[in-house]
């Protein structure tokens, strides 16, 4: 009888505790939730993000990080976006047609070169974009360059109904611009993720 009582009062093994902590945090009180987060952070070794600005980064294989396709009537908003991206710690290199196009060169040549020499393409889809044949041409060039590349084509809708979202982009999620600052941050985060994945892929190929 004595040994049976001792068995009943024996503390539970740590494996049972770890089993409890494996339940979803939504079913746990806030205090338990915080302990789950801390225990998981201890048990899992952190994966460091690749340095996209390192000298050997594949980021430097192209002239620009971001090419921004827009209509002429959206120049002010695009200039704000470019200023935001170029002012980030990553110092993104942006292609802005009115600023960076070579004087005297053909428009078609400049648009194609901008797409080919940029890692990511931001499509600022506004009513002006939908009516501008050059914007649609550049969008088609980007899709032809990398039709299935996640994160390279970044559609941004502004003042456009969802039903007017270009059919060619239906397989790509878009950013809906309501708050400008939030959308700028989403664009920045998307470019960073793409460049980080580019670095990881390059490292895997080298290994």
């Amino acid at each position: 009888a004595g040994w049976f009582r001792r068995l009943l009062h024996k503390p539970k093994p740590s494996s049972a505790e770890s089993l409890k902590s494996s339940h979803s945090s939504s079913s746990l009180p806030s205090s338990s939730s915080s302990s789950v987060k801390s225990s998981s952070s201890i048990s899992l070794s952190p994966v460091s993000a690749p340095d996209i600005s390192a000298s050997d980064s594949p980021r430097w294989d192209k002239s620009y990080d971001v090419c921004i396709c827009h209509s002429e009537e959206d120049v002010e908003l695009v200039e704000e976006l470019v200023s935001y991206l170029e002012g980030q710690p990553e110092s993104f290199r942006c292609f802005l047609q009115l600023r960076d196009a070579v004087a005297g060169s053909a428009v078609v040549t400049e648009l194609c070169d901008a797409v080919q020499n940029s890692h990511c393409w931001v499509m600022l889809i506004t009513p002006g974009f939908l009516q501008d044949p050059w914007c649609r041409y550049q969008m088609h060039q980007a899709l032809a360059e990398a039709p299935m590349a996640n994160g390279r084509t970044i559609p941004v809708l502004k003042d456009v109904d969802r039903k007017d979202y270009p059919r060619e982009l239906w397989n790509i999620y878009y950013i809906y611009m309501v708050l400008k600052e939030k959308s700028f941050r989403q664009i920045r985060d998307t470019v960073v993720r793409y460049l980080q994945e580019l670095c990881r892929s390059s490292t895997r190929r080298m290994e």
Side-chain angles (χ1 to χ4, degrees):
W3 67 265
F4 185 70
R5 280 195 297 271
R6 286 196 298 273
L7 180 64
L8 289 177
H9 292 89
K10 188 177 180 180
K12 294 180 181 179
S14 57
S15 58
E17 292 295 332
S18 61
L19 188 62
K20 281 185 178 181
S21 65
S22 65
H23 293 298
S24 63
S25 58
S26 59
S27 63
L28 297 171
S30 57
S31 59
S32 299
S33 176
S34 62
S35 66
V36 170
K37 289 180 181 178
S38 62
S39 63
S40 61
S41 63
I42 294 172
S43 60
L44 297 176
S45 57
V47 178
S48 58
D51 182 8
I52 62 175
S53 298
S55 58
D56 59 347
S57 169
R59 173 187 180 186
W60 311 118
D61 293 345
K62 292 185 180 292
S63 303
Y64 300 98
D65 299 310
V66 187
C67 172
I68 301 175
C69 180
H70 64 94
S71 68
E72 288 189 17
E73 61 191 57
D74 298 314
V75 168
E76 287 189 16
L77 176 60
V78 171
E79 287 178 340
E80 286 185 62
L81 173 59
V82 168
S83 178
Y84 172 85
L85 292 174
E86 292 181 341
Q88 293 301 299
E90 298 83 6
S91 300
F92 292 113
R93 301 161 301 156
C94 300
F95 177 86
L96 186 59
Q97 187 177 354
L98 294 177
R99 180 190 68 182
D100 301 316
V102 178
S105 61
V107 174
V108 174
T109 302
E110 284 295 311
L111 293 181
C112 291
D113 286 348
V115 168
Q116 293 173 356
N117 292 315
S118 300
H119 286 292
C120 299
W121 313 297
V122 172
M123 306 287 168
L124 182 59
I125 302 173
T126 64
F129 180 101
L130 297 175
Q131 297 171 7
D132 190 333
W134 289 116
C135 288
R136 299 195 74 90
Y137 177 82
Q138 199 167 11
M139 176 181 70
H140 291 147
Q141 287 297 312
L143 292 174
E145 182 79 12
M148 300 302 292
N150 290 333
R152 291 198 75 179
T153 301
I154 308 171
V156 181
L157 267 65
K158 185 178 186 300
D159 301 330
V160 171
D161 290 336
R162 289 176 172 84
K163 64 181 178 62
D164 296 322
Y165 184 53
R167 184 180 296 270
E168 300 92 328
L169 301 174
W170 277 7
N171 66 324
I172 303 175
Y173 287 112
Y174 56 77
I175 295 171
Y176 198 84
M177 185 177 289
V178 179
L179 297 175
K180 184 169 56 180
E181 293 77 9
K182 180 180 179 181
S183 298
F184 285 7
R185 187 167 61 252
Q186 287 177 295
I187 294 169
R188 178 256 175 200
D189 291 346
T190 303
V191 175
V192 168
R193 280 196 300 271
Y194 175 79
L195 293 176
Q196 287 177 342
E197 183 55 35
L198 182 69
C199 291
R200 291 191 190 97
S201 299
S202 177
T203 301
R204 286 195 292 267
R205 285 195 300 269
M206 291 175 65
E207 292 173 349

